[in-house]
Each structure stands twice: as C-alpha cells, then as structure tokens.
Amino acid sequence: MSNSSASSETFTRSCPICEACCGLRVEVNREAKKVLSVRGDEDDPRSRGYVCPKATAVKGLYEDPDRIKKPLRKTADGWEEISWEEAYAFAGERLKALREAHGKDTLATYIGNPIGHCASGLITVPMYIEAMQSERLFSAASMDQQPKNLTSSILYGDMWAISVPDIQRTDYMLSLGGNQLVSQGSLMSAPNAKKQISDLQRRGGRLVVMDPRRTETAEVADEHHFIVPGSDAFFLFALVNVLFEEGLTNLGHLAPFTDDVDRVRELAAPFSPESVADVTGVPAEVIRRIAREFAAADRAVCYGRIGTCIQEFGTLASWLVDVVNVLTGNLDREGGSMFTRPATGQSEYHMWDGAELNLGRWKSRVRGLPEYEGQLPIATFAEELEDASAGDDRARALVTICGNPVLSSPNGARLASALDELDFMVSIDIYLNETTRHADLILPTTVAIEHSNYDFLFSGTAVRNFARYTPQILEPEAELPDLGDVMLEVAARANGTQGSVLDMMLFEGMLGALVGKAGTPCEHVSVDDARPKLSTEPGIERLLDIMIRTGPYGDAFDDASDGLNLAKIAAEGHAMDLGPLEPRLPGIIRKDHGRLKLVHEIFEKDIERLHESLEARRAPDRLVLIGRRQLQNMNTWLHNLENLAKGKERCTLLVNPTDATRLGLETGGTAKISSRAGSVTAPVEVSDEMMPGVVSLPHGYGHRSSDTALRVANTKQPGANANQLLDEYSLDVPSGTSIANGILVEVAGA
Ligand SMILES: Nc1nc2c(c(=O)[nH]1)N[C@H]1C(S)=C(S)[C@@H](COP(=O)(O)OP(=O)(O)OC[C@H]3O[C@@H](n4cnc5c(=O)[nH]c(N)nc54)[C@H](O)[C@@H]3O)O[C@H]1N2
Ligand SMILES: Nc1nc2c(c(=O)[nH]1)N[C@H]1C(S)=C(S)[C@@H](COP(=O)(O)OP(=O)(O)OC[C@H]3O[C@@H](n4cnc5c(=O)[nH]c(N)nc54)[C@H](O)[C@@H]3O)O[C@H]1N2
Ligand code: SF4
Ligand SMILES: [Mo]
C-alpha cells in the first residue's frame, strides 16, 4: 500500500525483527533509493501504531555501510568481491568435491534465527535439507525452544503444536521465564506487550511472573516472585501436587480424550510445596496460593518461555506448563492456552502424514547424542568439525545461514577454532562478523525492505489469528538475491544443478501435495485446474498462494468463493485479522488416535534426573548465571546500528546487593566471571532486581575481533561473550538443548 507526495512514497509492511510482527509505515524516495522514515502503522489492526526502537533497524540495516552486498571470497590478501556466477560455481564445486571425497555427512549446515522472520528462507528449508542430504544439521533451536518442540511432539504429535496464551481473554496469566516487555513476547506473537498486560489488568485479570530477576515485565505485573534458575519443574510439580491434594483439578472439555491423569498425580506426589520451597526459593504458602488462584480463575493460562527452556530441566518444565493447563481445563479453551490457526495451513492435520517421534534416528558421531527432527544438538557442533574429536569422520564443509553461533552458542572459542579446521565454509549473511570471518565465501542477501515477505512462522504463534503479506519496497542492488534464492542455488550447485530446477521442484511438489488432498477443501480440485490460477513467476509468492488457497481460510481455487488467496491478503495492506483463537482439540492431535496421553517414558525418565539434582541444588552459597535480553538488541546482530548501539555500555553483570557485599563488588567496578567453560570480565551493576545467588549477563556481545567489519559494534558495544561461560556438556538431556540459565559461576572483582 502506498501513497505518494512529490518524491516520497509511504508503504506499509510488517517489522521483520522480532516475533511481534508490528505494522510499519515506511516512507521512501524510490528514485534516490532512500528510506526517509519508519513509523508505526496506526491502521494495523494488531499493533495500532505501536513500535519499539528496533523498528528503525529496517532503515539502519538498509543503509549500514558495513552491510555486504556482493559475494566476498577470502584470499591471501583479504576479501575480494566476486561475481554471483563465480561465487555459486565456487561454492558448488567445493561442496560437491568434498561430498564426493568424504561422504554426504561431511557437509554441515547451521541455521540461525533471522530465517524465522524471512518467508523465502523458511519455505526453502525443507528443499535445502533434502538436497544437502546430510545428517549434520544444526540450528539455534537447541539453544531456544527445542524443549517445547519436544513436549509438543510427544503430546500432540506435532513439534509446532505449541499453544499460546490467549492473553486478550484470560483472567489470570502465570508467566515463567519470559520478559514480554523487552522481548515483545515469544511463542505468543502479540505487539505492544505492555498494553496487552494493562488491558488484562483493566479487565480485572492478574499477571503473575516467576523470574530470578525483577524484570521490566515483573515491574508491571500484579505479582512477581523470584525463582531459583532451573527450578521451574519443581515449582510446577508443586502446583500440580496442590491441584490434586486439594481437589482442584477439573479437566472439563479435555476429560473425554485425556489419559494418564492418575499417573501424573503419582509423579507429583513427592513434590509438595513444602518440599520444594528451598530449591525453588518460592515459599510454600505462595505456591499453594498460586495453585488455588489459578484453579479458581474462570480463565487462566500458564505460560513458559526461554527461561524455562534453556535450562537444566527445560523439557520437564515445558511439559508441566501444559500439564497445569490441562489439569485445570485451560488448555484449548477461550482465555486459556490455545492453538493458533495460520492461513498458510501448516497447522492443519492433513498437512502431515505420520506422527512418529522423530528422535534418535541417527546420532552425533562423537558423543552419540540423538538427532531430533533432523537436527543435532548445537552442543555437539564444534566436536563434529574437529579432527581431534571426530577424526576422519569430521564435517569438512559448513554452510551457515543467517546465524552467528560463535557468539550465540556454548563455548564459542572452541567453535571458532573448529571453524578454522574446515576445508570449506560458506556463510549466507549480510555481515562480516565473528562467525562469517571464518568463511571462505560470504554470500549476502537482500534485507527486509528489499524483498517481499509473509509472516509465516509467527502467524502460527499469534494470540489472535492473522495473515500478512509484505511487498518489496525498494529494488535491491543489482543481482542481490533473496535468502531463499541463495539457499536453493547453493544446494543446487552442490548437486550439479541450478536453483531454478529446485524452485520448480518445490512448486510442483507443493502443488501435488496440497491440491486434491483427501479430507481438505481442495479434495475435488485437480492440479490442472489449479495451475492456471497461479503465477508462473518463480519465488515464494506462488508457493504462498498454494498454501493459502488450500489452507483453512482458503478459496480452494474457486474464483466465486470468498475464501482467501495471496492477492486478497496482499490487498489488505495491513495485517488481516482472522479472528480470535478457537478450540482445536482433539482434532490436531496426530497420534494415539487423537487421545492426549499426558505421560511418556521420556518424561518419567527425566523425573529421576530431577530427583537426583536435589542435593546439588541444596549446596550453600551457590551462585548461578542467567541471561538478559535488552530492548535495543536482537541476539548478536543489531549492535552495528548507530542509534541502537549508542548510550552507555549495556553488557553489564547485574548482582544483588547481598552478593555484591559478600564478593566485594560495587557498581562501576569490574567483575571476573568464571565457570567450568571459561571466564569473561564485565562491568558490575549492583541491583536488588536480582535474586540473591543469581547474577545476570546479557548474551549476544563479544564484538572483539579485529578481522570483522562491524565498526559500530566493535567500538560502541563490544561487551563480553556470555556464552564463553556456557559449556557444551551441560544439557537438558531429553531435548539436547544447551543450558544457558542457571549455570554455576564464580564471580570476583577484577
Ligand atoms: N546465553 C544465551 N545464549 C543464547 C540465548 C540466550 O538467551 N542466552 N538465546 C538463544 C536464542 S533464543 C537464539 S534464537 C540464538 C540466536 O542465535 P543465532 O541465530 O546464531 O544468532 P543471531 O544473532 O540471531 O544471528 C543473526 C545472524 O544473521 C545475520 N542476518 C541478519 N539478518 C539477515 C538477513 O536478512 N539475511 C541474512 N542472510 N543474514 C542476516 C546476522 O548478520 C547474523 O550473523 O541465540 C541463542 N543464544
Ligand atoms: N529486544 C529483544 N527482543 C527479542 C530478542 C532479543 O534479543 N532482544 N530475542 C528474540 C528471541 S530469539 C527470543 S527466543 C525471544 C525470547 O523471549 P523471552 O523468553 O520473553 O525473553 P527473555 O527476555 O530472555 O526472557 C527470559 C526470562 O527468563 C528469566 N529466567 C532465566 N532463567 C530462568 C529460570 O530458570 N526460570 C525462570 N522462571 N525464569 C528464568 C530471565 O530472567 C528473563 O527475564 O525474544 C525475542 N525478542
Ligand atoms: S516490537 Fe518487534 S516487531 Fe515490533 S517494532 Fe519492535 S522489533 Fe519490530
Ligand atoms: Mo530465539
């Protein structure tokens, strides 16, 4: 949507930086290829004009003089710009040759977070993986939501069947390990978290926050309780214990298809509030009261996010969040925890043919850790590349796709030297940063304003159903391709073919899979009827159109229908509201004949580990580290934008006053933080927002390499790499997720 005056035109689009997907109004001069301003779009039904400071990154990234726009090849004399054809030929030759010499698993891939915000990248992933054929796939997932994916795989047979808080209709929200005011909500896309919370409170509802730090969200909550990092499973088990002990369970509409309730009661029996008060730091009477109030609320929702995932018992905590919702009848109920229904159909039952638990079909070579949904834990990344650990069987080539694992994953120093052992590394990225500096070849891609987009992933986790297409606003520099195009071309060349061939396979494959499929509205449509109604242009638009037309709100290729297609969504110019969340159970359970089996041996086994951890948790003077997100950051990569990097140093260690006194630290001083994995230094900020015994250092910093091209980040916000403190051997065992929150540290003045 555009309106113009003189040389300026205004377009609306969705913000691609975080999960909220706020609506933006972007004013540009197309002729001069300049972004004049970026503001909130008041007409967007979701965000209503709200934006956070990171929205300006849409302009900042486009203009950043450090952004890479041409393929770069590493030479003895530094980086050299080469043509796209040379670059693809080089990548293809090297990948192909290494695979031929050392087998398919010698090609490793790492996929990072920004792909989640880019439809062309996301839609291309399955084809890319198929073409690469390697068992060595890594991503940020095992440093993020993987425990939740695993519990959803087990409970519902779909790793993405993750219910989200119906925050707009609930009366009581119990939030563990999320800081919505800063992150804008994760696995709960809901712009303007502050307003979502104040609306809840205005309706008479309550927000209760469990967090080892009195966060920005805790400040506006009705109640905040410190909780010892990594102890959420104890706390949640204690809630379950009280629900049973006091007769407060009421499964309601879930009862007819839910099993194992008695087993849950047995498993929760040892965890009375009194028995977990010391290890959780939450007084028994508070736990009891929360259980009673949660059960008494008309509509309540328990929600857990990153603090409950990248911790010692991420899987159990993620599972128990669902258990609490089930036992109180709040799963899949208005005002409870509900399943979003995106227009692109990825959450429709018919999309999927089976529901096996894809876990352990192969193992990592060095440590023998199981794959999950085709990925190996990020904790095994470095060792799978090293000669010293994997020997001849190591991965010799690596493709990184918008990720910066040297800063984002555990023991970045080890990973950095492992990257230097590779025979070939190609990075699909827009910056020469701590990870991509190890590459032999960097392939840049368009940034948001230069490509069209669709909120594919996050319309699947929104607190109200929506659909949104974003058009391209400015033409990119000559030949600069979109992320999906580069991924396809690299994968194609590794197989001696062309990206256009894979694009056609993707299109034909999707047509064949979705059109005419039994049990869908497209059951009686033939591929030949559908084809003429679709664009002949390669790229994501026609793929999205197939998904939408065959999806739950689709027109099923019937021109007379008032159902959706991509053109209708695009014509909306803003997010298209598709209404409040609606109940979807038991329909979306893809296993156990639609029965919700609450208990699985994976959970039972891990409960033993939970019991065993008690003793260590009771050790006196335990000091543990947690992370911290900040409004102006996005993981490792927005520090190079002047307006987001300005201001005082942000990578500080927060320490509670009692600990500071004990450790001899004061605000403005420097602390040395050491763990089993390594040590870093950071400026100290003494603050009672920290729970005693817990210190906090944000992740994503550590911009200290002289051979990167991050002029602003390296000077304005270099910070320390918190992940140098994380070791690659501490895991949430069932999901293989790395532990970032609650690791033991020692802190001393430096
Ligand atoms: N200690 C600790 N560590 C953590 C976390 C934590 O809470 N604590 N959180 C974890 C989580 S949740 C996540 S998601 C991971 C993130 O881990 P990563 O995904 O590895 O890290 P990012 O900083 O998101 O990496 C972004 C990369 O993508 C590039 N990029 C950005 N935009 C584009 C684009 O449009 N195109 C291309 N081609 N490249 C682009 C950037 O230059 C950068 O290299 O970090 C994890 N690490
Ligand atoms: N501004 C900004 N927004 C972001 C990002 C960013 O880097 N910056 N990253 C995006 C990404 S990739 C993600 S995954 C999401 C994450 O979204 P959130 O999960 O909402 O993000 P965090 O702010 O890391 O919140 C985690 C909270 O868990 C707390 N915590 C730590 N350990 C524990 C524990 O053991 N138990 C409990 N109960 N709490 C604990 C921390 O103190 C913190 O307040 O945010 C996204 N949004
Ligand atoms: S909250 Fe997220 S989506 Fe909204 S403007 Fe900020 S970064 Fe963009
Ligand atoms: Mo994340």
Side-chain angles (χ1 to χ4, degrees):
M1 162 176 277
S2 114
N3 57 52
S4 22
S5 78
S7 51
S8 103
E9 287 174 275
T10 300
F11 296 85
T12 52
R13 63 156 296 137
S14 129
C15 176
I17 306 294
C18 88
E19 298 178 35
C21 305
C22 299
L24 303 181
R25 296 177 75 83
V26 184
E27 192 190 357
V28 295
N29 179 334
R30 273 185 156 172
E31 221 168 297
K33 287 192 149 194
K34 283 230 166 331
V35 181
L36 305 174
S37 69
V38 178
R39 289 182 293 121
D41 176 8
E42 293 82 8
D43 298 324
D44 187 275
R46 300 179 65 249
S47 54
R48 303 237 173 257
Y50 172 83
V51 281
C52 86
K54 290 187 296 306
T56 57
V58 169
K59 174 174 157 71
L61 286 168
Y62 177 71
E63 292 172 351
D64 190 345
D66 284 338
R67 172 161 69 103
I68 304 171
K69 295 182 190 148
K70 295 231 163 62
L72 293 181
R73 180 180 180 154
K74 193 181 266 163
T75 71
D77 307 318
W79 294 92
E80 161 191 63
E81 279 186 3
I82 57 173
S83 74
W84 278 98
E85 187 42 46
E86 278 176 283
Y88 285 138
F90 177 43
E93 257 163 47
R94 296 296 288 133
L95 295 172
K96 213 158 152 276
L98 286 164
R99 181 159 62 198
E100 276 160 17
H102 302 283
K104 64 184 183 57
D105 300 326
T106 210
L107 308 187
T109 296
Y110 173 84
I111 305 182
N113 171 280
I115 202 167
H117 302 265
C118 176
S120 81
L122 269 180
I123 294 172
T124 306
V125 167
M127 176 58 78
Y128 172 88
I129 293 173
E130 201 180 315
M132 296 301 273
Q133 306 160 39
S134 171
E135 291 185 355
R136 285 198 172 108
L137 176 65
F138 304 87
S139 86
S142 48
M143 205 50 203
D144 193 341
Q145 80 292 338
Q146 194 139 292
K148 196 73 200 172
N149 289 139
L150 179 63
T151 54
S152 290
S153 292
I154 294 172
L155 294 175
Y156 316 110
D158 175 358
M159 67 189 284
W160 290 112
I162 295 175
S163 60
V164 304
D166 187 7
I167 188 171
Q168 298 174 345
R169 294 183 292 186
T170 197
D171 300 316
Y172 188 103
M173 178 161 162
L174 174 60
S175 174
L176 298 93
N179 184 9
Q180 295 84 356
L181 253 57
V182 167
S183 68
Q184 276 303 311
S186 178
L187 296 178
M188 56 168 292
S189 311
N192 201 348
K194 195 170 183 177
K195 181 161 187 306
Q196 306 271 355
I197 293 167
S198 62
D199 286 351
L200 158 78
Q201 291 165 331
R202 229 188 327 272
R203 288 196 312 270
R206 291 177 72 72
L207 172 68
V208 177
V209 169
M210 309 300 298
D211 198 301
R213 185 180 146 237
R214 194 175 65 248
T215 59
E216 295 78 353
T217 309
E219 290 284 358
V220 302
D222 299 275
E223 258 179 66
H224 163 242
H225 302 281
F226 284 137
I227 184 167
V228 170
S231 74
D232 300 79
F234 292 103
F235 168 77
L236 290 161
F237 252 140
L239 290 185
V240 171
N241 178 292
V242 177
L243 293 176
F244 281 115
E245 286 303 307
E246 303 193 3
L248 301 173
T249 61
N250 177 7
L251 276 73
H253 66 295
L254 304 169
F257 54 87
T258 302
D259 295 329
D260 305 334
V261 174
D262 286 338
R263 183 65 189 140
V264 174
R265 175 203 293 264
E266 286 165 15
L267 292 170
F271 299 99
S272 68
E274 291 70 21
S275 73
V276 304
D278 61 343
V279 285
T280 58
V282 189
E285 62 276 15
V286 171
I287 303 178
R288 276 188 194 283
R289 180 173 54 76
I290 291 175
R292 289 173 191 147
E293 289 175 359
F294 191 94
D298 270 348
R299 303 182 284 192
V301 55
C302 180
Y303 161 85
R305 194 52 275 265
I306 206 97
T308 58
C309 285
I310 44 179
Q311 58 136 295
E312 193 177 359
F313 295 101
T315 298
L316 286 182
S318 299
W319 167 60
L320 286 163
V321 163
D322 282 24
V323 168
V324 167
N325 287 325
V326 170
L327 292 179
T328 52
N330 282 303
L331 183 74
D332 199 41
R333 178 171 79 158
E334 192 177 305
S337 195
M338 302 191 76
F339 298 93
T340 313
R341 189 166 210 185
T344 34
Q346 63 268 38
S347 73
E348 302 306 305
Y349 184 90
H350 64 80
M351 278 286 295
W352 312 90
D353 289 328
E356 286 107 61
L357 179 58
N358 293 325
L359 178 69
R361 291 166 300 169
W362 60 86
K363 303 236 160 92
S364 71
R365 301 292 159 83
V366 179
R367 233 185 297 170
L369 292 185
E371 64 75 45
Y372 168 61
E373 289 288 350
Q375 298 189 26
L376 293 175
I378 190 66
T380 68
F381 193 13
E383 68 197 25
E384 293 288 304
L385 314 181
E386 286 168 349
D387 186 32
S389 47
D392 241 12
D393 205 13
R394 71 186 186 275
R396 290 163 199 262
L398 172 67
V399 183
T400 68
I401 302 175
C402 36
N404 192 0
V406 166
L407 293 193
S408 66
S409 65
N411 200 348
R414 179 173 177 188
L415 178 61
S417 43
L419 296 180
D420 284 333
E421 287 189 45
L422 289 164
D423 293 2
F424 181 66
M425 172 170 164
V426 47
S427 288
I428 304 176
D429 207 289
I430 54 173
Y431 282 114
L432 175 54
N433 64 21
E434 297 76 12
T435 296
T436 62
R437 75 188 178 92
H438 297 275
D440 300 288
L441 177 68
I442 305 179
L443 300 175
T445 66
T446 48
V447 288
I449 209 160
E450 299 166 326
H451 57 238
S452 64
N453 202 8
Y454 185 92
D455 296 335
F456 186 74
L457 191 56
F458 305 116
S459 59
T461 58
V463 303
R464 206 179 144 91
N465 293 311
F466 82 100
R468 167 132 213 178
Y469 175 78
T470 285
Q472 179 194 52
I473 297 180
L474 291 178
E475 282 283 336
E477 189 141 315
E479 294 186 274
L480 189 61
D482 292 348
L483 179 59
D485 300 334
V486 182
M487 288 168 62
L488 275 188
E489 200 64 49
V490 167
R493 298 297 180 105
N495 289 285
T497 179
Q498 305 282 321
S500 55
V501 174
L502 296 194
D503 180 81
M504 191 51 88
M505 282 168 66
L506 198 54
F507 174 68
E508 293 294 338
M510 203 176 267
L511 253 187
L514 297 181
V515 176
K517 178 121 183 159
T520 79
C522 274
E523 190 167 3
H524 303 295
V525 183
S526 76
V527 168
D528 289 338
D529 294 335
R531 196 188 298 275
K533 302 196 172 169
L534 293 161
S535 165
T536 51
E537 289 281 309
I540 58 165
E541 274 73 9
R542 61 181 181 172
L543 301 177
L544 288 164
D545 207 17
I546 300 175
M547 291 189 263
I548 293 162
R549 285 168 170 233
T550 58
Y553 313 87
D555 68 5
F557 296 96
D558 174 0
D559 295 330
S561 151
D562 56 7
L564 293 182
N565 55 39
L566 183 64
K568 286 184 193 167
I569 293 173
E572 188 86 358
H574 312 281
M576 180 185 270
D577 180 43
L578 295 175
L581 304 184
E582 287 183 7
R584 302 194 63 194
L585 286 177
I588 57 166
I589 301 175
R590 301 197 299 122
K591 56 193 282 287
D592 299 321
H593 308 289
R595 296 203 65 84
L596 178 51
K597 289 192 185 299
L598 285 180
V599 179
H600 188 278
E601 59 188 3
I602 291 180
F603 305 140
E604 297 240 14
K605 185 145 188 285
D606 214 38
I607 293 169
E608 291 167 23
R609 195 172 62 96
L610 185 69
H611 284 292
E612 284 158 15
S613 79
L614 267 171
E615 199 179 310
R617 291 187 166 270
R618 290 191 167 127
D621 283 341
R622 260 175 116 239
L623 189 63
V624 296
L625 176 80
I626 61 167
R628 176 162 102 246
R629 279 182 163 73
Q630 298 168 321
L631 200 55
Q632 296 92 333
N633 301 351
M634 186 63 188
N635 297 317
T636 76
W637 69 281
L638 289 183
H639 297 141
N640 207 50
L641 304 183
E642 284 283 353
N643 70 324
L644 295 177
K646 69 182 181 212
K648 63 179 183 137
E649 190 170 359
R650 297 202 295 264
C651 184
T652 58
L653 185 77
L654 291 181
V655 189
N656 175 277
T658 327
D659 294 320
T661 308
R662 181 168 60 89
L663 300 166
L665 300 171
E666 50 185 37
T667 298
T670 304
K672 181 174 181 197
I673 310 123
S674 312
S675 70
R676 196 164 76 173
S679 62
V680 298
T681 56
V684 173
E685 269 187 89
V686 177
S687 167
D688 67 2
E689 72 194 40
M690 290 313 299
M691 181 177 198
V694 186
V695 292
S696 163
L697 190 66
H699 78 283
Y701 293 90
H703 305 294
R704 295 181 177 273
S705 302
S706 53
D707 47 5
T708 56
L710 296 169
R711 280 171 286 192
V712 178
N714 285 345
T715 49
K716 298 270 166 72
Q717 293 289 348
N721 179 3
N723 286 344
Q724 211 37 60
L725 298 167
L726 310 191
D727 80 47
E728 59 278 45
Y729 303 106
S730 308
L731 300 176
D732 166 51
V733 176
S735 69
T737 304
S738 290
I739 303 177
N741 289 314
I743 60 164
L744 287 172
V745 286
E746 285 174 17
V747 176

